[in-house]
Amino acid sequence: MTAPFDPAPKDHLVSAIVRDEPRVLTRITSLFGRRGYNIRSLSVGSTEHPGLSRMTFVVTGDRGVVEQAMRQLEKLHDVVKIIDHSLEKFVDRELVLVKVAITPESRVEVRQIAEDFRARIVDVGRHALTFEVTGDEGKITAFIEQMRSFGILETMRTGRVALTRGSNADIPSHVYHEGETEALRPVVESAEPREEKARGVPNLF
Amino acid sequence: MTQQDMTGAKALWATLAAHGVGTVFGYPGGAIMPVYDALTFYPEVRHVLARHEQGAIHAAEGWAKATGEIGVCIATSGPGATNLVTGLADAMLDSVPILAITGNVARHLMGTDAFQEADITGITLPITKHNYVVRDVEELPRVIAEAIRIARSGRPGPVLVDIPKDVQLAPYHGEIATPHARPEIPAPKPEAIERARELLRSAKKPVIMVGGGSLDAAAEITALARAWDIPVITTLMGLGAFPASDPLWLGMPGMHGSVAANRAISEADVLLGIGLRFDDRVTGRVNGFAPNASIIHVDLDAAEIGKIVRTHVPVRGDARVAAQMLAEGAQKLDLPEWREKIAEWKTRTQDPDHWGAGYAVKAVVDRLRPDDILSSDVGQHQMLAAQLARFERPRRWINSGGLGTMGFGFPAAIGAGMAEPGVRSIVIAGDGGFQMTAQELATLKKYDIRNVKICIINNSFLGMVRQWQELFHERRYSEVWLGDSNPDFLKLADAYGVPAYRADRAEELPGAIDAWLNDPKSSLLEIVVPNEHGVFPMVPAGAALSEMIETEPPRPTPGIEKNAAAEEAKNA
């Protein structure tokens, strides 16, 4: 038997389109909790369709764990669609508010770094500046790291949001149920690189 | 009825009637009273009053398991609703289509910790397929219709609809919802079927394993197995999905499975699983399960494929269609060595030949007619019945497989018996489990139900727990002895007007069984058996199927006598 395809635990970015009804969030989080899947970040907002909301999660686990989590989610009546962003090209963003301590000596330098990151100042105090930064996870992490030496007083991150890239027709959009998956992949074929296989493997669903 | 008279409660009954629901099981209470009041206007719906909400939902499950149709139960808010919890969890794990309707306090009281208020939709969130609170009376029929559709579609399951009391009373002006069409079940992909066929063609040691999801595909699976000439294993939930009289049948797999089934799994090179979920009681230690086999898994529920065991060929779709497709182009496999091995394993069964629980269960199940429905409670007698009964057709075996709910068997047998009044509904229970829902004897009396036959295998113990204590806890029989406090079951039955019989020796058994089965009324038979018999074969929890203990190990020292003496000394 070949080795499991992608055994290392890592972050998976997943979106769910869900009905906008009471308890949907509880239903989803309780499913995650019961089955022992940890949600690292979660953002929820409305969509272009009235009555539908979009949630973006970051779930940590190996490929099999995340697949199982997605399949369990998909069984919920309130869940309309699941999109696993790790199977496609996507754009993602996160917004963070960072309150950084300043002194008369550091003020200029802090502002300079913020400018480099295109961070906006949203609040100015005598001893602190609050920045708003938008970007992918890497940019935000880098910004926070840069500011750490000055003294970070508070941060608030929104959690990641993501959308599938729309313009590039030859990139398959592996919307759930239409793409290749770990569970539904024949074991014998799972050793080959995912990117190449993505187009070749028949959809057995 | 004029539109002006219509209320939420009446709309509920009208919707149920429009869906062909002719029988509901329930128990009234304050927050559901408008529904019970409206019931008097709907004589076409029969309401069966249980003596406990748990009895009501298990009866609904028995109904659903026997017929494949939706079982409906009703309870009031708070304690009534929470008494449904066990049955909902049971129905969830065994994929039983159940509609549970609960009353709740009026909308303005919800969330205020009002009298008899419980957040039942919150409580049952993880143990229902879906649940609803109806906050607007105009939504009520639509929600009921949708709940029925969800409960029956795809992989079936329980759906709960919670209706606040003021919604039940509110005037209703809309139409009565009619049934949804049954949704199309996705057909398996031809590529997946072709892959599975290729694997079967190359197999040297193939085996088919079918579970509770195969019950409605029994004919197709039987044709498939015969066309390829592949032996068939039926899980606890799948018993009856393949005729036991067929020489290809190997019995049940798993913890108390047959030697033939477990050995065949352990040696198989191709395992075709249909409509099963590889429960831990079936697989034993997962990495020791079918270690040499390529696994083809046919299931409707995508989440089940690859959940427990690695699947080589995933086939998502309807078991009937998949079995039909797999049977096309079948060629009989010529595998004399595999056949020989299996024939040898099949000889390694022993019918219980000396007096004990197994002997008693055998004597009862040997009297089953093909149409009889056999229910069991949970415990040793359940495993014995599953090992010894020979089912020729599906939906004749009703038991609590996934949740292992003690107290399930008797009310489920009532539900099944009411669904099919023309056939005998026989239940085998233990002395422990029977006492969890024994009050449902009143239901037999109240409705003059005549076809329910209760058999209590009384060993004065919580037998399965005792067996584990014997094997794995050095016979420290902690809190499993019932002999000092069991009721006189004959007197108990008599108190409810149910005729009862008893046998406590092998010689008495045939006569007692005759008298019990020939009684024109529902009746009870107590069979008093020795205290310390075990159920074997057995795969210890956490072991691989290949590590099965085939026969009962010799008992080193007297047990129960010693323990009873110790008990007496303690009580003195």
Side-chain angles (χ1 to χ4, degrees), chain A residues 95-102 107 110-111 114 118-133 143 147 151-156:
Chain A
L95 184 145
V96 64
L97 296 176
V98 187
K99 195 187 288 173
V100 182
I102 48 164
R107 173 183 284 266
V110 168
R111 294 185 71 130
R118 288 186 212 150
R120 281 177 43 195
I121 296 174
V122 290
D123 184 56
V124 180
R126 283 179 58 192
H127 304 294
L129 291 175
T130 303
F131 296 101
E132 172 200 311
V133 194
F143 178 74
M147 288 299 168
I152 293 174
L153 301 174
E154 272 183 293
T155 61
M156 175 62 217

Side-chain angles (χ1 to χ4, degrees), chain B residues 437-457:
Chain B
T437 45
Q439 73 278 11
E440 300 306 332
L441 285 166
T443 310
L444 293 183
K445 182 179 181 182
K446 183 174 176 70
Y447 298 95
D448 192 24
I449 299 165
R450 289 167 177 266
N451 61 337
V452 175
K453 298 286 175 184
I454 308 151
C455 170
I456 299 175
I457 306 290

Side-chain angles (χ1 to χ4, degrees), chain A residues 14 44 49 51 56 60 67 78 84 89 94 110 115 125 158 161:
Chain A
V14 175
V44 189
H49 299 289
T56 305
T60 312
E67 283 266 337
D78 295 315
D84 182 348
K89 297 279 191 282
E94 194 171 358
V110 168
E115 229 165 80
T158 56
V161 294

Side-chain angles (χ1 to χ4, degrees), chain B residues 293-307:
Chain B
S294 296
I295 292 176
I296 306 163
H297 189 179
V298 180
D299 209 295
L300 191 58
D301 182 352
E304 290 303 334
I305 299 180
K307 186 177 86 174

Side-chain angles (χ1 to χ4, degrees), chain B residues 325-340:
Chain B
M325 289 168 83
L326 284 169
E328 282 161 27
Q331 51 201 44
K332 273 202 186 341
L333 299 173
D334 182 29
L335 306 166
E337 280 172 39
W338 185 230
R339 220 151 291 289
E340 218 167 276

